[in-house]
Each structure stands twice: as structure tokens, then as C-alpha cells.
Amino acid sequence: MSDLLKGLNKEQKEAVLHTDGPLLILAGAGSGKTSVLTRKIAYLLEKGKADEFDILAFTFTNKAANEMKERVADLLNKEVDHMWIGTFHSICSRILRRNIEKLGYKNTFSIYDTTDSRSLVKDIMKDLRIDEKYTPIREVIAVISDNKNKFISPEESAENAFYKRQRNIAEIYKIYEKRKKINNALDFDDLILKTIELLEKYQEIRDFYARKFKYIFVDEYQDTNQAQYRLIRLFTKQYKNICVVGDSDQSIYSWRGADISNILNFEEDYKDARVILLEQNYRSTNKILDAANDLIANNLERKDKNLWTANKKEFPIVYRNSATEYDEAEDLVLKIQQMANAGYDLNDMAILYRTNAQSRVLEEKLMQNHINHKIIGGLKFYDRKEVKDIIAYLALIANPDDNVALKRVINTPKRGIGDTTLSKLEFYANNNGESMFDSIYSDGLVDSLSKATIGKLRSFADTIMEFIQNVDNYLITDLLLDVYEKSGYKKMLEDSKRIEDKSKIENLSALTDAVQEFERRNEEATLFDYLQNVNLLSDVDKTEENDRAISLMTIHSAKGLEYDVVFLTGMEEGLFPSLRTMEEGGLEEERRLAYVAVTRAKERLFVSSAASRTVFGKRAYTKRSRFIDEIYGHLDEEKAQLNDSFSSANSYFDQFDSFEAKRERIRQEIQEKKKRFEDNLQMDFNIGDKVDHKKFGQGMVISVERKDNGDELLVNFDKSGLKRLNAKLAKLKKL
């Protein structure tokens, strides 16, 4: 018996030993699915059933792919970085780099992340004079992505459009696809769709990969969408050795196209499929699992299973219904301190919520109590302006057809190339069916721009062209450093007197370190490999590590993670389950989301709700979530004391007033605050206040210096960085 089977339970061993034919592993939360998957791959290699290039394994994040590679490498005691183990996007990108010229693209194509796609759509809407107020960019991008993953072309989208808004989006979609082609760029959806197009259109390529991959693995199969499902079917034309691992109870991404029917219908798709249930949980206590089992049993659309554990630890699941969201946050801080005193590290704790908007009050309370925290899915290192700027320079060098990258950096630092010049250059390029970079060198441009302006454009293009011609002679780190200096970006930051620009220098130093580490791990990597690696990072992959910090995140972001201590907040009807989702018939998915939240906890689980919550400036009274009622028999409820639960809400409430009197008191206070603001009187700002500024956007006050002529505030804005403002003059609005 192989050492690879050591420590596995009966069902896990069966899954590893099943080598031929389709296999569905229904793996409950914390049941050791990654261990089974990696040992199964290692077993095939050890027994000579396959070599390293015969195996294809799909994951949903780079983090999961890297963990899988590391575990296989440890099991076999050899390097396996060259194996086809990666995300759907990275695997497809690898195939397209080799074959995309058949589809009319160059193999130097750029990969547009969400920010790049948003920038392109924004430009198109500006050209079409479509107002963002009535047609939000986020909605446009979501509709386009949904259409693409359902294989609806721009032409079909236009035919199906009935209302003006739909016709506008269809027109944006058509131009968006056309401009990406001109830019030699693909977005995330394209990576999968173009691979499908390639395989379906060219039989020799389809047959090559179908013969090549004898064994195919798919992790988190319940999260696959229609396009991913179609791609997998193409790869399994030759052999039926497909192993999918998933859990129908953890299907929580229908809003981004995930189709739960893929896992529910697996046995219909593969008639001789074997199904193995992994029900033994190695993560949580019995109390947590009993609550999770009772919760999910209320769903009908699922494959039945029942999680259990041999873990003998027992802790109560504590539930508390506080008076307001402020009390909820106050109590949560006390619980965090109690857990820290009990020996739990902050890194082993997480606060979960249904929507990002809930984090504000929680963040403020944590800051006020000096508790280190990090936001998973918040502002991430690779989303910072200076980092994206330098990466855009590298992207332009790799693919000079990339108009989005060019427009980002052509006047950063300032080169006297304004929006009018860019508009004329883009108009000329679009009319001539070429990239903006190529148009800079076109003789016909003299009819549109002055000689001096063309000189500025060509000076910039010459700098980029020099890098393009010498790119193969550079290490990626050296290229980055040269770009940083020769572009003038380094001088711009060093000459700046602004405090925030000093931190930008530190961030770009950290970027250099990250590139160096990438090169160390991938000795043969090219600039294209690095850019692909960065562009395919997920939110979880991008989040910065912070020593000793509690994690805050939406439940969607928590998928795949686990913590010793979990605080599940905002458990109220209309918030969780979400009112909008319930109205759209998505109650079962909301319950699956609650199931995911509960099963993130290893030892301690604290559940909380608020009896009232501020909604659009008004205090609304809430009812506790039905999910609380469904697990109530497993909860130890802490009854909030009157003098305790109303402690932070005394400015709004008197505990003996009627609800009507409380509501009127709130209304009057809001009106008084509005009047003070409108009269331009100084508002009292404190450290931790979230604020909004007409020019700089949203941010947080990080220091306050009291002065007679107006307090001096230091505000860290999400997009604009640190700004010093006079509280009396700045017209800041508290959020």
C-alpha cells in the first residue's frame, strides 16, 4: 500500500484509488478535499498511470493552484511547477499564447482586469454620450459579462434589446468587443470563450489537447458556469477520466454565472460516473457541524450528506441580538478582547458580513480600540494607482497595441499631452483601424495635431520603443527599474513634497521586491508570464498580509478559508437573507451562503444581529434572520441588558420612550446636522470618521489638530491618498 494513502479515511482512500472513469467527489466543508485531490494526482504519477504532462487540473484562485502544486511537489519530492495545474483563466491563457494567432490576435495580447475593462467602457460611453447616472458602468460590465458567458453575441444582444437602456448596453457591448480586438486585448471572460472558440473551430487543436490530457481534475465544480462547463466537455472528448470535487451546499456564485445544475447533473452527463461522499469534517466542532447540517437541510436543491467529526472539543455557539449596529460592534470588540485573552491570535479570527457596507461601523470600532485589522477584498496592493501605473508601462511594452495602457501612462508623469490631444489621437487611430501607438508615427497625424504636440507624442513613443526593442535583454526586475527611472516616474515622486508620494515610493519598492521574488520562483519567466500572473490575481490573492490582524470580509470572500474564531454579524431579515435576493427567488443560495459562513469556524462561533439599523440615514427596526431560527436549538443566547444594549445609542433613544418618539428624535437630529452643514458651520470630526469630498471621493480621517480657524484634518482618501484639509472650509460630508 502506498504511503500516499497513509492517514486517509475509508472514503478518501476510495477516491484516491479510483483512477479510471468519471468520478464525483462530494466533499463537505473541511472534509480534506485538497488532500484527496493532491494525493490522487500524486498517486497517478507514482503508479505510472500518467506522466506529468498528461494531467490537467483546474482551480478558481491562484492561491488554490499554488497550494495544490506545493502539496504534489512535497508528496513526490520533486518540482512540479511545469504541470498544467492552474485557474481556468491561467490555463486558457497558456493555450491561447500558443494558438491565438489562428483567431486573428497576436500572441502578445494584453489581459484586461476589471479596472481596465471599466476604463474602456467609460471611454465608449463618453463617445456615445451615454450618462453614467442612468446607465451605471458596473451594470454595463455585468450585463456584457453575463451575455458573453451565455454565448450571446453583440448582434443577438441588440436583437433582444427592447428598452433604450438595453439598446445602449448592446451598442456599448459591440464597440467594446471591437476596441479590444484593435487593442489586441482580452478580458477575463474572453480567456475562456476564445479557448472554446479555438477548440471548436480547429479540430486539430481540439484533438491535440483531448489526447494530451488523459486525466482532468476540477476543484470547486459547483462554482463552474456555462462556459467553463462547455470547456471541460471539450477536454474530455477523448478520455472520460474526469474527477470533479465540489459541494452543492456551497454553491454561492450564481450572480456571476455559476450554475449549480453542473454538479447536480454530473451523473447524467457521465452515465458511468461514481460518486463518493466525504462527510467526515476535520475542521469544526460537533456543535458547529450540527448547526450547519440543520441549517442546510432546509434546502431542496442539493445532494444529501451529513457532516460529522471525531473532534471532541466543545464550545457554545453564542448569539446576541443588540439594540443597534453600534452596540453590535461594541460587543464584538469585547468578544475579540476576550478571545485574545483566552489565547487566540488575531490572525486566527475573522469578522464576516453579508455586504461590504456593513464594515464601516465595525472598522471604526476596531480603530477606536486599537485592534489591528485587514480587509479582504478592500483596497489591495496591486490596485494602488502607482502600482497600476508602472504595470501599465510594462503592459504597453509587452503589447504596444494596448490603448488602455497607453492612455493610462502617456501623460504620467506630465508631458504636456492633454485630453484633447488624446481624443484626436484616438479618433485618428479608430478611423484608420490601428492602435494609438502606431498612429503616433503615422504621417497623416500632422493634419490633426501641431508639430510641437506630435513631437511630445513621439518623444514618449521613442522611450517605449527603445524598451520594446531591448525587452529580451532585460531581467523583468531590471526592466521595471529602468522604466521607473527613464519614464520620469521616479523623479516625479522624488521631487514631490506631498506626504502620500513618499509612501508611493515605498510601494514601488515593494513591487520591485515582488517582481524579484516572482523571477526567483520562475527562472525562465518572461515579461508576458509576469503580466499574466499579476492580471489573473483574485481579490484573496491580492490582499496584503499584515502581522497579527483580524480579517474582515464578506462571506463570499471567506469561501475556502477557515479561522479558529468567527464572528458572523448582521443576521437580520432583509440583510441576511438579502431582501433583493429573496425577491429574485434566491433564498436557497442565501442559505448556502449562511452554511458557508458557519462552517468557516473551527472552534468558536459568535452570531449577532441588531434590533435596529440605520438605512439611508433613517433608523429602521429589524427582525432577526430566519437562519437564526433554523439553528436556534444550537445557540446559547446572551440576553442584552437594557442599560448595556442601549449604551452607545443614548443620543437617539431613551429606553422608556415609545418607538414613535425615538423615530422623531432621530429625525430631528438628522435635520439639525443637515442645517449645520448647509450653513457651512464647522462639523466635529474625529479619528476614524468616514468622509466624502466632492473632488477627492471617500476617505477616512486619520488625524485631527484642533484650531480656532478650523480643525486641520489629515484624511486618507481611497483613490487620492493623504490630504490635509481645513474642516471648516473643505465641505466634507460624514458618511
Side-chain angles (χ1 to χ4, degrees):
M1 187 66 67
S2 170
D3 288 341
L4 292 172
L5 302 180
K6 189 176 180 181
L8 298 182
N9 63 37
K10 177 176 173 287
E11 290 75 21
Q12 289 174 329
K13 286 178 183 175
E14 287 178 9
V16 170
L17 293 173
H18 178 97
T19 57
D20 297 316
L23 173 65
L24 167 60
I25 302 175
L26 277 178
S31 62
K33 71 178 179 65
T34 305
S35 178
V36 171
L37 207 54
T38 51
R39 292 194 196 205
K40 190 171 174 60
I41 292 171
Y43 184 81
L44 288 170
L45 297 174
E46 186 186 73
K47 294 299 179 185
K49 298 281 289 184
D51 67 35
E52 293 167 11
F53 293 99
D54 292 339
I55 291 172
L56 173 63
F58 289 110
T59 65
F60 274 84
T61 66
N62 287 285
K63 185 177 180 181
N66 290 334
E67 182 183 356
M68 194 178 291
K69 284 182 181 178
E70 287 170 8
R71 290 204 190 186
V72 172
D74 289 343
L75 289 168
L76 297 175
N77 196 27
K78 63 187 293 188
E79 184 57 60
V80 297
D81 274 347
H82 54 279
M83 287 185 67
W84 287 73
I85 298 175
T87 63
F88 278 92
H89 295 116
S90 65
I91 294 292
C92 288
S93 179
R94 191 169 170 180
I95 292 170
L96 290 172
R97 289 285 179 207
R98 300 178 179 187
N99 302 282
I100 199 168
E101 290 175 348
K102 288 184 177 293
L103 299 180
Y105 290 80
K106 301 172 189 172
N107 62 9
T108 57
F109 62 85
S110 295
I111 300 172
Y112 281 177
D113 65 10
T114 307
T115 306
D116 298 324
S117 293
R118 181 184 175 85
S119 176
L120 184 55
V121 168
K122 189 181 180 80
D123 286 344
I124 294 167
M125 290 177 66
K126 184 179 177 183
D127 292 343
L128 295 175
R129 297 183 179 178
I130 295 173
D131 195 332
E132 290 179 41
K133 290 179 184 176
Y134 303 106
T135 312
I137 291 179
R138 180 179 294 182
E139 180 190 342
V140 174
I141 291 173
V143 171
I144 290 174
S145 179
D146 188 55
N147 278 334
K148 290 169 78 168
N149 284 303
K150 290 177 179 174
F151 302 94
I152 299 172
S153 68
E155 293 72 27
E156 290 175 286
S157 179
E159 288 173 11
N160 297 335
F162 182 75
Y163 299 106
K164 183 180 178 182
R165 186 194 194 92
Q166 293 172 324
R167 292 195 297 272
N168 283 343
I169 294 177
E171 181 65 13
I172 295 167
Y173 179 18
K174 181 178 76 175
I175 298 172
Y176 175 73
E177 292 301 300
K178 187 182 294 183
R179 290 200 186 169
K180 277 196 291 93
K181 183 70 181 291
I182 292 171
N183 293 358
N184 192 37
L186 304 178
D187 62 21
F188 283 172
D189 295 325
D190 291 329
L191 292 172
I192 296 174
L193 298 179
K194 292 299 178 187
T195 304
I196 292 171
E197 183 183 346
L198 189 71
L199 296 176
E200 290 184 340
K201 191 176 284 187
Y202 296 97
Q203 185 175 342
E204 70 276 15
I205 298 176
R206 180 173 69 249
D207 291 346
F208 171 79
Y209 285 107
R211 286 193 302 268
K212 174 179 174 55
F213 299 126
K214 294 179 182 176
Y215 292 91
I216 294 172
F217 295 83
V218 186
D219 194 12
E220 305 289 4
Y221 191 65
Q222 77 282 346
D223 294 334
T224 53
N225 60 25
Q226 289 182 30
Q228 289 158 340
Y229 170 83
R230 191 155 152 184
L231 181 72
I232 292 163
R233 296 286 284 178
L234 285 166
F235 281 127
T236 55
K237 289 282 185 185
Q238 183 79 16
Y239 306 100
K240 302 298 181 187
N241 298 327
I242 178 171
C243 171
V244 303
V245 184
D247 181 4
S248 55
D249 292 335
Q250 296 186 70
S251 180
I252 59 173
Y253 294 115
S254 67
W255 50 275
R256 69 181 190 197
D259 189 346
I260 193 174
S261 68
N262 291 348
I263 192 167
L264 295 177
N265 297 336
F266 184 81
E267 292 153 277
E268 292 179 23
D269 292 334
Y270 300 93
K271 298 300 183 185
D272 54 345
R274 185 176 177 190
V275 179
I276 295 176
L277 272 64
L278 302 184
E279 297 175 295
Q280 184 174 357
N281 177 283
Y282 295 91
R283 176 190 298 158
S284 306
T285 64
N286 259 315
K287 269 192 177 295
I288 291 170
L289 295 181
D290 288 346
N293 286 331
D294 281 1
L295 174 70
I296 203 63
N298 291 279
N299 272 7
L300 300 176
E301 200 175 39
R302 64 186 295 259
K303 286 181 176 289
D304 194 39
K305 66 179 184 313
N306 199 62
L307 294 179
W308 63 277
T309 183
N311 184 352
K312 300 300 181 185
K313 286 186 178 180
E314 286 299 341
F315 299 101
I317 303 174
V318 178
Y319 167 61
R320 185 182 180 97
N321 185 33
S322 301
T324 71
E325 68 268 36
Y326 299 100
D327 292 294
E328 182 185 32
E330 196 83 54
D331 181 61
L332 185 142
V333 165
L334 291 174
K335 289 287 192 297
I336 292 170
Q337 292 167 339
Q338 288 172 10
M339 291 297 98
N341 291 336
Y344 291 101
D345 195 273
L346 284 176
N347 282 331
D348 298 325
M349 303 186 207
I351 302 170
L352 308 184
Y353 35 78
R354 178 63 180 83
T355 66
N356 277 309
Q358 292 168 249
S359 71
R360 182 184 66 82
V361 174
L362 300 168
E363 284 185 74
E364 287 175 2
K365 288 297 180 186
L366 292 171
M367 289 180 66
Q368 289 166 11
N369 288 274
H370 308 291
I371 296 175
N372 287 340
H373 61 280
K374 59 184 175 184
I375 309 294
I376 307 295
L379 181 62
K380 298 166 284 292
F381 178 78
Y382 285 97
D383 287 341
R384 289 177 172 159
K385 181 184 182 302
E386 62 275 15
V387 174
K388 287 193 74 68
D389 284 346
I390 295 299
I391 288 176
Y393 269 107
L394 298 179
L396 185 60
I397 292 164
N399 174 21
D401 293 333
D402 187 345
N403 289 351
V404 171
L406 180 140
K407 287 162 72 175
R408 184 178 185 99
V409 300
I410 197 168
N411 202 39
T412 307
K414 301 289 184 188
R415 298 184 176 91
I417 302 171
D419 290 343
T420 303
T421 299
L422 274 181
S423 295
K424 289 180 178 179
L425 176 62
E426 187 170 25
F427 181 79
Y428 178 87
N430 289 340
N431 278 354
N432 288 276
E434 59 187 20
S435 71
M436 292 170 71
F437 188 86
D438 285 343
S439 292
I440 290 174
Y441 290 108
S442 174
D443 293 336
L445 197 61
V446 294
D447 296 331
S448 305
L449 298 169
S450 70
K451 188 176 180 180
T453 300
I454 291 174
K456 292 173 185 176
L457 290 171
R458 289 183 179 170
S459 175
F460 164 77
D462 288 345
T463 302
I464 300 300
M465 184 60 77
E466 185 180 347
F467 286 123
I468 292 171
Q469 291 169 346
N470 293 288
V471 69
D472 293 336
N473 301 325
Y474 277 104
L475 290 172
I476 308 171
T477 309
D478 294 339
L479 177 63
L480 185 151
L481 291 171
D482 243 16
V483 165
Y484 181 32
E485 185 162 349
K486 291 182 179 179
S487 66
Y489 207 98
K490 182 179 182 182
K491 186 176 188 302
M492 176 188 73
L493 295 181
E494 289 180 343
D495 289 350
S496 174
K497 305 298 182 187
R498 297 187 302 177
I499 297 172
E500 59 267 32
D501 284 344
K502 303 307 174 190
S503 64
K504 289 180 181 179
I505 293 173
E506 294 171 3
N507 289 336
L508 291 176
S509 174
L511 176 63
T512 307
D513 294 341
V515 173
Q516 215 163 27
E517 176 62 16
F518 174 80
E519 286 193 290
R520 188 186 67 78
R521 288 172 172 265
N522 306 273
E523 292 181 6
E524 302 298 321
T526 65
L527 176 60
F528 300 111
D529 296 327
Y530 172 70
L531 291 171
Q532 176 173 302
N533 177 70
V534 170
N535 287 330
L536 295 180
L537 291 175
S538 68
D539 281 353
V540 174
D541 296 321
K542 286 181 178 179
T543 303
E544 293 179 89
E545 291 300 321
N546 189 345
D547 291 338
R548 296 203 70 254
I550 189 169
S551 297
L552 281 75
M553 70 196 85
T554 64
I555 302 165
H556 283 101
S557 296
K559 180 79 186 326
L561 304 177
E562 58 182 44
Y563 296 90
D564 289 342
V565 183
V566 168
F567 300 93
L568 178 53
T569 65
M571 294 294 287
E572 298 135 34
E573 284 290 297
L575 184 57
F576 193 25
S578 154
L579 178 61
R580 180 178 175 182
T581 306
M582 285 192 292
E583 287 173 346
E584 294 172 355
L587 178 59
E588 290 214 351
E589 177 151 336
E590 286 290 290
R591 188 175 284 110
R592 292 195 292 269
L593 195 57
Y595 174 83
V596 166
V598 169
T599 54
R600 297 312 94 196
K602 294 165 73 174
E603 295 184 2
R604 307 300 303 265
L605 177 60
F606 296 91
V607 185
S608 61
S609 57
S612 70
R613 190 174 291 272
T614 306
V615 181
F616 293 111
K618 295 183 179 179
R619 186 150 292 278
Y621 296 92
T622 65
K623 178 184 176 184
R624 78 183 182 195
S625 170
R626 69 188 69 196
F627 300 149
I628 294 291
D629 296 332
E630 290 171 1
I631 62 171
Y632 194 77
H634 303 284
L635 304 179
D636 281 17
E637 183 173 8
E638 286 185 351
K639 293 291 184 182
Q641 299 298 314
L642 271 178
N643 60 350
D644 174 32
S645 64
F646 283 83
S647 60
S648 65
N650 284 338
S651 59
Y652 294 107
F653 293 89
D654 182 278
Q655 60 199 37
F656 303 105
D657 282 351
S658 67
F659 277 172
E660 289 75 14
K662 294 169 189 172
R663 190 187 300 274
E664 179 61 22
R665 189 166 298 178
I666 294 168
R667 190 190 66 77
Q668 289 176 1
E669 184 168 326
I670 289 170
Q671 290 302 319
E672 286 171 9
K673 285 183 177 179
K674 281 183 178 178
K675 186 176 184 305
R676 288 207 317 272
F677 183 74
E678 288 165 3
D679 291 343
N680 200 27
L681 296 176
Q682 181 177 340
M683 293 182 72
D684 186 22
F685 290 95
N686 297 295
I687 293 173
D689 282 348
K690 287 284 185 73
V691 296
D692 186 66
H693 187 275
K694 190 173 181 181
K695 178 179 178 182
F696 303 128
Q698 293 187 5
M700 181 181 288
V701 177
I702 61 174
S703 78
V704 180
E705 189 176 342
R706 305 295 181 192
K707 292 188 176 181
D708 293 338
N709 62 344
D711 295 345
E712 186 176 286
L713 310 177
L714 183 61
V715 182
N716 187 15
F717 289 100
D718 296 342
K719 294 182 179 178
S720 306
L722 295 170
K723 303 287 181 187
R724 288 195 181 278
L725 302 171
N726 184 294
K728 197 171 184 178
L729 304 174
K731 294 186 178 180
L732 284 170
K733 184 170 73 171
K734 279 189 182 182
L735 297 177

